[in-house]
Amino acid sequence: DILDVSRIEAGKFELHTEIIQVNEICQKSLNFIKQLANKKSITVEYASSPPAAVLSADPIRLKQILVNLLNNAVKFTPEKGTVKLQVQADAQAGLMHFSVIDTGIGIASSDLDKLFQPFVQLDSSLSRQHEGSGLGLSLVKKMAEMHGGSVAVHSEVNAGSRFTLSLPWNPSQDND
């Protein structure tokens, strides 16, 4: 993550976009977090509409974004919680929305503006329960923007979070 952030900052980071199967990238991303989710008895769900959508994106970087978001969702969701990856196409807006929804600890509204800053972790106490570099969400935001997209978050303390990655999508690609 540190190397990727420094490459982006230096303008030396390139995306290699191609037409990809959304379902395939999502399934591969979910496979990354299944073991950790199983250890915590977390239910992992997936839904995509349309199920056979394609998208022009860098497959490695899109998977990296999704794995980062899914990993955080599992990390901050207590045992027996739920993590869901939901993909929704919005033909009118020309966007594909990837939402990672969890029943985790949530984030206070006063902390939301700090979330995407590099090296910032919301729980900076010495007894921090969750490991990490504080780079994941910063990288997610930068890579989303490089794709011409954005990331939004909605969260409620003790109720969970929803991180939504929105990427440009051309519905006619699905018919090619």
Side-chain angles (χ1 to χ4, degrees):
D1 285 353
I2 290 172
L3 287 174
D4 286 341
V5 168
S6 62
R7 280 191 205 112
I8 291 170
E9 297 294 325
K12 303 222 184 289
F13 191 91
E14 290 181 27
L15 293 179
H16 302 286
T17 59
E18 57 187 75
I19 301 297
I20 57 170
Q21 297 287 331
V22 171
N23 188 49
E24 185 180 322
I25 294 293
C26 290
Q27 293 292 353
K28 286 179 178 178
S29 300
L30 288 164
N31 284 339
F32 263 84
I33 56 111
K34 283 209 167 127
Q35 189 175 1
L36 182 59
N38 286 341
K39 268 187 196 172
K40 293 176 72 177
S41 301
I42 291 174
T43 303
V44 176
E45 299 173 1
Y46 171 62
S48 182
S49 176
V54 296
L55 179 71
S56 178
D58 182 322
I60 292 169
R61 300 309 174 182
L62 178 55
K63 188 166 81 172
Q64 187 177 4
I65 291 169
L66 294 175
V67 167
N68 257 315
L69 293 175
L70 288 163
N71 213 19
N72 279 353
V74 171
K75 190 185 330 183
F76 294 106
T77 297
E79 289 196 4
K80 295 187 172 81
T82 303
V83 169
K84 182 174 188 173
L85 173 57
Q86 189 174 343
V87 181
Q88 188 70 44
D90 182 346
Q92 225 171 353
L95 294 171
M96 181 80 62
H97 302 290
F98 298 81
S99 294
V100 175
I101 306 150
D102 66 55
T103 57
I105 60 174
I107 304 156
S109 56
S110 59
D111 287 331
L112 290 176
D113 60 335
K114 300 176 204 162
L115 264 186
F116 296 100
Q117 295 173 14
F119 302 108
V120 172
Q121 294 174 317
L122 298 183
D123 180 4
S124 58
S125 66
L126 289 174
S127 63
R128 249 174 29 133
Q129 292 182 344
H130 307 287
E131 295 179 16
S133 64
L135 284 175
L137 290 177
S138 172
L139 200 54
V140 162
K141 183 177 190 284
K142 289 177 189 305
M143 286 186 186
E145 290 168 352
M146 288 181 76
H147 276 92
S150 62
V151 182
V153 61
H154 175 77
S155 189
E156 200 174 311
V157 175
N158 299 321
S161 301
R162 172 192 287 259
F163 284 81
T164 302
L165 166 69
S166 299
L167 296 178
W169 173 64
N170 181 351
S172 66
Q173 290 174 327
D174 285 346
N175 302 324
D176 293 343

